[in-house]
């Protein structure tokens, strides 16, 4: 997966480089910085940093990783948050971009970031996350790198409170009992459990919309009913006017996996990968069910993951990175590989 949020200790990440949220003097500090110096080997890392001497806020320098699993440490000083009126966002964005450009120049293929400036420097976590995601996704538009955003625990991670409460409310309204299952959005349960007319309103509207699908859409479904997931996906990409690279990058899927899908008509992706392509193509609920159904999957009302995906689709939000932030906040699998 090109970009993934993980809960881990950054000093234990098996990547080419980790990023240290440094201070401008590159001296050992507290928090993540102190943990990195301790894990790498305090004396050796401090000695190399001392020789470099200084790094401006928003810039980046590189050292060896010493005792870390990572070969390199990229050091970038983040801004101290002073209300957002002193160019903090631009400087924070530059921290990520400078680190990524430096990694690219060193042919680094995998890199792990902390949420820079969100600790003692006081940057609001939800805003810090938005800037980090923006900088990383901008970079990935033109580059192939595996990038991880590492958070140590849930306290270190925060999405917009408004989005969190909206999604939580949507889950509460739509999550049904495990014995009432949906297949492609249609309930498959005993008559005494629930019928279509007594279903919650959002679900009833969904079924009504499906039953009134236009004839042209039905004709297309019949014409392509025998197409495999891979075949149907490639057909949808051709119709979308996007290139293969644009689609797999929007899907947060790496090029090697997409190559497997393209070259094997019977390839069966994971559910999260199948959903990722539906989102990358901007498919509506019917289109999403059709595409993932060809890989043997369905969206149900007994799964928080499925309901969160539905929430974003019906709200017309196909930003996979924002969706992944929300899935992470609700302890659900992330979209992509």
């Amino acid at each position: 997966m090109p970009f993934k949020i993980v809960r881990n200790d950054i000093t234990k990440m098996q990547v080419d480089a980790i990023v240290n949220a440094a201070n401008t003097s590159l001296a050992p500090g507290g928090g993540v910085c102190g943990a990195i110096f301790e894990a790498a080997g305090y004396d050796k890392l401090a000695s190399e940093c001392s020789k470099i001497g200084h790094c401006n806020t928003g810039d980046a320098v590189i050292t060896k990783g010493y005792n870390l699993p990572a070969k390199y440490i990229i050091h970038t000083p983040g801004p101290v948050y002073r209300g957002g009126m002193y160019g903090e966002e631009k400087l924070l964005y530059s921290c990520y971009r400078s680190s990524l450009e430096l990694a690219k120049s060193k042919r680094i293929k995998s890199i792990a970031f902390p949420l820079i400036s969100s600790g003692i420097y006081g940057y609001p976590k939800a805003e810090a996350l938005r800037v980090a995601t923006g900088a990383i996704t901008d970079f990935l538009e033109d580059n192939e790198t595996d990038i991880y955003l590492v958070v140590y625990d849930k306290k270190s991670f925060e999405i917009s409170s408004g989005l969190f409460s909206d999604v939580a409310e949507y889950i509460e309204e739509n999550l049904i009992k495990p014995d009432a299952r949906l297949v492609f959005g249609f309930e498959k349960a005993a008559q005494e459990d629930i019928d279509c007319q007594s279903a919650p309103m959002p679900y009833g509207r969904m079924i009504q919309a499906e039953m009134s699908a236009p004839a042209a859409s039905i004709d297309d479904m019949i014409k392509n009913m025998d197409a495999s997931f891979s075949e149907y996906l490639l057909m949808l990409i051709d119709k979308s006017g996007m290139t293969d690279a644009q689609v797999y990058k929007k899907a947060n899927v790496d090029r090697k996996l997409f190559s497997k899908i393209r070259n094997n008509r019977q390839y069966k992706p994971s559910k999260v990968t199948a959903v990722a392509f539906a989102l990358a193509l901007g498919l509506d609920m019917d289109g999403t069910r059709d595409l993932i159904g060809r890989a043997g999957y369905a969206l149900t009302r007994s799964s928080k993951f499925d309901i969160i995906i539905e929430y974003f689709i019906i709200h017309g939000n196909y930003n996979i990175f924002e969706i992944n932030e929300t899935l992470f906040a609700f302890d659900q699998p992330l979209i992509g590989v």
Side-chain angles (χ1 to χ4, degrees):
M1 181 182 292
F3 177 32
K4 185 175 183 180
I5 304 168
V6 297
R7 194 177 304 160
N8 203 347
D9 179 343
I10 197 168
T11 66
K12 294 180 169 57
M13 290 294 293
Q14 302 283 335
V15 290
D16 295 337
I18 66 168
V19 175
N20 175 30
N23 50 62
T24 55
S25 62
L26 303 178
V32 173
C33 180
I36 289 174
F37 269 83
E38 182 178 352
Y42 184 96
D43 291 340
K44 291 180 180 178
L45 181 55
S47 175
E48 186 173 359
C49 285
S50 179
K51 290 176 183 177
I52 298 171
H54 180 83
C55 183
N56 291 328
T57 301
D59 291 342
V61 296
I62 192 167
T63 65
K64 296 176 182 177
Y66 296 104
N67 298 335
L68 293 171
K71 185 177 180 181
Y72 299 105
I73 305 168
I74 293 176
H75 306 261
T76 183
V80 175
Y81 189 74
R82 295 184 290 166
M85 304 299 292
Y86 297 89
E88 294 97 323
E89 181 173 339
K90 183 177 180 180
L91 287 169
L92 184 57
Y93 182 99
S94 181
C95 287
Y96 290 95
R97 191 71 194 214
S98 297
S99 298
L100 289 166
E101 293 294 347
L102 181 54
K104 181 180 178 180
S105 72
K106 297 293 184 181
R107 300 184 184 277
I108 288 169
K109 298 298 183 184
S110 58
I111 183 170
F113 285 91
L115 194 58
I116 298 168
S117 284
S118 66
I120 60 173
Y121 281 11
Y123 215 110
K125 289 182 173 58
E127 284 298 302
L129 178 62
R130 179 183 61 80
V131 176
T133 302
I136 291 168
T137 54
D138 287 349
F139 179 81
L140 286 173
E141 286 183 4
D142 302 308
N143 298 278
E144 301 278 349
T145 307
D146 291 330
I147 303 173
Y148 298 87
L149 187 62
V150 183
V151 296
Y152 189 73
D153 54 32
K154 290 298 288 288
K155 293 180 181 178
S156 307
F157 181 88
E158 185 178 297
I159 64 172
S160 160
S161 59
L163 176 60
F164 187 91
S165 61
D166 285 350
V167 173
E169 182 179 357
Y170 192 80
I171 292 172
E172 179 67 23
E173 290 177 349
N174 292 282
L175 190 66
I176 63 174
K177 296 178 181 180
D179 60 345
R181 294 168 295 173
L182 306 178
V183 179
F184 300 136
F186 290 90
E187 184 180 4
K188 192 175 184 181
Q191 182 63 38
E192 60 269 25
D193 289 333
I194 302 175
D195 60 35
C196 292
Q197 293 181 348
S198 64
M201 192 61 183
Y203 175 50
R205 285 199 298 269
M206 177 180 69
I207 292 178
Q208 185 177 13
E210 291 185 29
M211 292 177 67
S212 58
S217 174
I218 294 173
D219 289 342
D220 286 343
M221 290 173 64
I222 293 173
K223 186 192 310 182
N224 296 293
M225 64 187 300
D226 293 328
S228 67
F229 173 86
S230 297
E231 292 169 329
Y232 195 58
L233 173 63
L234 296 176
M235 182 199 74
L236 290 175
I237 292 174
D238 288 341
K239 284 188 174 183
S240 74
M242 290 188 284
T243 65
D244 288 355
Q246 287 173 323
V247 172
Y248 71 67
K249 286 185 177 183
K250 286 186 70 175
N252 199 31
V253 169
D254 65 40
R255 179 173 49 83
K256 291 180 181 178
L257 176 59
F258 183 79
S259 180
K260 291 179 182 179
I261 294 173
R262 172 168 276 286
N263 295 321
N264 181 358
R265 66 182 298 272
Q266 298 304 325
Y267 185 88
K268 181 178 178 179
S270 67
K271 181 174 179 177
V272 292
T273 298
V275 170
F277 280 112
L279 294 169
L281 289 162
L283 301 183
D284 61 13
M285 288 301 298
D286 289 337
T288 298
R289 293 188 193 100
D290 188 15
L291 178 62
I292 71 173
R294 293 169 190 274
Y297 304 114
L299 294 178
T300 80
R301 287 296 175 89
S302 59
S303 161
K304 283 187 180 180
F305 172 89
D306 293 356
I307 293 174
I308 292 170
I309 297 303
E310 180 184 300
Y311 171 89
F312 279 93
I313 291 175
I314 67 172
H315 284 83
N317 185 343
Y318 292 90
N319 185 324
I320 283 182
F321 304 108
E322 186 171 344
I323 295 170
N324 270 344
E325 291 166 12
T326 306
L327 289 168
F328 184 86
F330 283 90
D331 295 312
Q332 299 300 305
L334 304 187
I335 293 295
V337 178

